[in-house]
Amino acid sequence: MMRDVPLHRSATALGALSLLAAATLSAPPLQAAGPAGTTTPAIALPQLGDPHLTVVPRTVEETARIQAITAPTTEFDAPEPFEARPAGAATVRARKDDEAYSQHSAGLTFEEELEFKLGNGLFKKVWVPSPASTRASDGLGPLYNARSCQRCHLKDGRGHVPEGPDYAAATMFLRVSVPGPVPEQLQAVHDYIGTAPEPTYGGQLQDISAPGVPAEYRLGVTYSAETISLNGGETVTLQRPSYSADSLGYGPLQADAMLSPRVAPTMIGLGLLEAIPAADILALADPEDRDGDGISGRPSLVWSKEHQQIMLGRFGYKGGMPTIHEQSAGAFAGDIGISTPLNPAHWGDCTEAQTACRAAPHGGEDARETEIDQPNMDLVTFYSQNLAVPARRAIEDPAVLRGKEQFYNAGCTSCHTPKFVTHRMDGRDAQSFQLIWPYSDLLLHDMGDGLADNRPAGRANGREWRTAPLWGIGLTQQVNPRAGFLHDGRARTLLEAVLWHGGEAAAARDTVVNLPPEDRADLIRFLESL
């Protein structure tokens, strides 16, 4: 029998709250593409399991218990058991200041808390260009978007768009790519879309540079207003963004270059998302919409540099990274220009066309193999895995319960899957064997023309995005008052974010539009409680 437990738990108590176990399962074979009118036999891909985790397999009985406890509720007169703790025993109390996202997971040992604090120091570390007297901190750039992780992920939360004369694009940038071939390792994935870095500018545009190296661009953003009428006489004005790469430092972009904006996302709960069994996510996929509900979630499949196999993509707005370590290493390379063992190029995202950047001094000239070594990368990864999810607020409020019912009735849970149970894992007690409430299926969904960036990335086409987790979303603007919502921060409120949904989410959006004003307000109150 499950029972309520305090928020702060020891490592031993984590096991007491554990409900179930998990197994590494593989996806069914994928079909390879063949010429029109022909059939191609299935190609057996490597197991789409979780090679980065040491897990204990589930039993048949445990699997049945998981299915029962993660089934969507049909009762909304009271909170569900354990709903107050969206991260299970790793949940922490919700703070009322801008440190709400900066706490470590409950249940860490003293040694793990020390690792977390050391990782926090590296996350906040301000890097400087080479050469510098602070040799452990040099190697910045030569092209970059920010001098530290924290300067993008403000207080471990979301970034914001640049505003007027206060140009602060360090929390936002443009990704760039051109059409290209499908990598050899991914040719078995029949709908993988080939792209390549832009030949002159690389994979993303950097607006800051080291001395003697021209910056790549300045981000331009303009908005046009669109008014949406809601049931009950209310109106909402949406701002439709238009982006430009201004003041290009290396000549024009290639004619077929595709640009897509990115605002730094919230960092909480990442280790728990990483601990969800791949099989449980794959089980939610319905690419052909065989059940006829209009929802066609598809898994992102990516090549893991670290594990040298195809893995489920969980991280990034289009699910482009399989693990937190690879996501972190990619950010060091692209955002800060810092070399890591996984991405050892000292010039970061600089291309061969950017000769001054390639020739600039770097932090590897003092016998360091990379500007940040693997032990320090492990600390950054541990920190990112253990930024805690705050507890829910006001879950017994009748308005919140009514709003939850509206959320379910509108069909929002078709993509924002409420609950999972994580793997039982060795060495990661804080994320092991927990009932969690991320409100995401981590799959790719068509979000319609309104949110389309028209830039494919892997399996995600120009209209598809990975379902964003919703836990902690009600504290977004408490942590950063300037933060907006969605991949580019265009939505200033949660209601605006809902109204931008289209494609597979159009029916749910229209349901919200047609709700009586009091029901719509309850729905937003529920989201604010997450």
Side-chain angles (χ1 to χ4, degrees):
M1 171 181 268
M2 293 176 290
R3 59 186 180 83
D4 209 2
V5 293
L7 282 178
H8 295 283
R9 303 295 303 248
S10 67
T12 301
L14 289 170
L17 185 64
S18 295
L19 304 175
L20 308 154
T24 301
L25 302 177
S26 62
L30 300 178
Q31 295 292 325
T38 68
T39 59
T40 305
I43 295 177
L45 295 177
Q47 286 194 338
L48 293 178
D50 305 307
H52 55 303
L53 304 175
T54 303
V55 303
V56 178
R58 288 176 180 166
T59 66
V60 173
E61 293 78 9
E62 288 169 341
T63 300
R65 293 171 61 196
I66 288 171
Q67 292 174 344
I69 200 163
T70 58
T73 186
T74 58
E75 299 179 3
F76 303 96
D77 56 345
E80 295 174 70
F82 308 108
E83 189 174 3
R85 292 186 300 279
T91 308
V92 297
R93 298 189 186 279
R95 294 177 59 126
K96 297 182 179 180
D97 58 16
D98 62 2
E99 298 291 330
Y101 291 157
S102 298
Q103 303 175 80
H104 62 72
S105 298
L108 297 187
T109 64
F110 176 82
E111 291 78 11
E112 288 172 335
E113 286 188 31
L114 179 59
E115 286 186 55
F116 180 87
K117 290 174 182 177
L118 291 171
N120 187 20
L122 289 165
F123 197 81
K124 292 179 176 179
K125 180 176 184 174
V126 177
W127 296 83
V128 297
S130 298
S133 58
T134 54
R135 298 178 72 180
S137 297
D138 70 347
L140 176 67
L143 294 171
Y144 57 97
N145 296 108
R147 294 179 62 189
S148 73
C149 306
Q150 186 77 213
R151 290 195 178 184
C152 284
H153 302 276
L154 300 172
K155 294 288 187 177
D156 304 298
R158 289 181 61 81
H160 53 258
V161 300
E163 298 175 352
D166 180 18
Y167 180 80
T171 60
M172 185 178 190
F173 63 81
L174 295 175
R175 290 210 182 280
V176 59
S177 57
V178 297
V182 175
E184 181 180 355
Q185 305 98 320
L186 289 158
Q187 289 178 1
V189 182
H190 77 281
D191 52 0
Y192 195 93
I193 304 169
T195 60
E198 205 278 343
T200 301
Y201 289 90
Q204 72 186 60
L205 295 178
Q206 288 94 8
D207 58 348
I208 318 176
S209 60
V213 178
E216 289 189 322
Y217 84 125
R218 181 181 175 89
L219 174 63
V221 187
T222 58
Y223 295 96
S224 59
E226 299 181 12
T227 300
I228 305 297
S229 297
L230 309 178
N231 182 34
E234 298 179 9
T235 61
V236 175
T237 300
L238 304 181
Q239 49 180 17
R240 180 179 292 276
S242 177
Y243 300 98
S244 59
D246 301 334
S247 304
L248 288 166
Y250 298 85
L253 291 160
Q254 190 165 299
D256 55 357
M258 301 170 285
L259 299 173
S260 182
R262 295 289 189 275
V263 165
T266 302
M267 295 289 295
I268 61 172
L270 299 184
L272 291 160
L273 298 180
E274 190 174 51
I276 298 171
D280 291 358
I281 298 169
L282 295 168
L284 298 173
D286 185 16
E288 306 300 328
D289 191 22
R290 293 179 179 176
D291 61 6
D293 66 352
I295 306 299
S296 305
R298 302 188 307 124
S300 173
L301 301 176
V302 300
W303 181 255
S304 168
K305 283 186 182 181
E306 182 177 12
H307 299 286
Q308 291 293 295
Q309 70 172 68
I310 294 173
M311 289 180 62
L312 177 67
R314 303 171 190 244
F315 303 105
Y317 284 110
K318 286 182 179 272
M321 286 292 179
T323 67
I324 297 169
H325 176 236
E326 292 192 49
Q327 177 79 1
S328 299
F332 268 113
D335 302 349
I336 313 178
I338 296 297
S339 57
T340 69
L342 203 57
N343 296 305
H346 295 299
W347 49 75
D349 191 43
C350 299
T351 67
E352 292 182 359
Q354 297 168 328
T355 55
C357 179
R358 289 282 182 111
H362 57 73
E365 294 176 337
D366 57 2
R368 282 182 289 168
E369 292 186 7
T370 56
E371 289 155 337
I372 184 170
D373 61 17
Q374 192 57 53
N376 282 324
M377 275 302 305
D378 291 342
L379 289 172
V380 172
T381 301
F382 185 83
Y383 175 76
S384 301
Q385 288 170 336
N386 284 284
L387 281 163
V389 179
R392 290 277 307 277
R393 286 85 52 211
I395 63 169
E396 296 180 347
D397 184 335
V400 169
L401 291 169
R402 290 194 300 267
K404 179 181 176 182
E405 185 173 13
Q406 298 299 337
F407 186 84
Y408 277 62
N409 289 344
C412 303
T413 57
S414 296
C415 301
H416 291 284
T417 303
K419 295 174 280 186
F420 289 93
V421 171
T422 62
H423 276 303
R424 189 198 299 275
M425 301 173 292
D426 290 336
R428 287 179 59 170
D429 287 346
Q431 289 94 34
S432 181
F433 212 38
Q434 300 300 314
L435 173 64
I436 63 172
W437 306 68
Y439 285 93
S440 171
D441 59 10
L442 299 181
L443 297 174
L444 301 173
H445 293 276
D446 183 337
M447 295 299 291
D449 290 333
L451 289 178
D453 65 349
N454 300 311
R455 176 185 173 271
R459 292 191 90 195
N461 64 36
R463 292 163 51 103
E464 289 179 312
W465 301 92
R466 182 210 63 164
T467 305
L470 298 182
W471 52 10
I473 197 169
L475 300 174
T476 301
Q477 290 170 334
Q478 174 183 302
V479 172
N480 178 10
R482 296 175 63 185
F485 303 96
L486 303 176
H487 67 281
D488 56 2
R490 72 176 71 183
R492 294 159 294 187
T493 67
L494 290 171
L495 180 56
E496 285 186 27
V498 172
L499 296 177
W500 274 111
H501 283 50
E504 296 175 42
R509 175 205 61 204
D510 292 346
T511 297
V512 174
V513 167
N514 292 317
L515 286 174
E518 58 274 17
D519 290 344
R520 195 161 46 243
D522 289 343
L523 171 64
I524 299 304
R525 183 75 183 91
F526 165 69
L527 294 175
E528 291 172 343
S529 78
L530 294 178

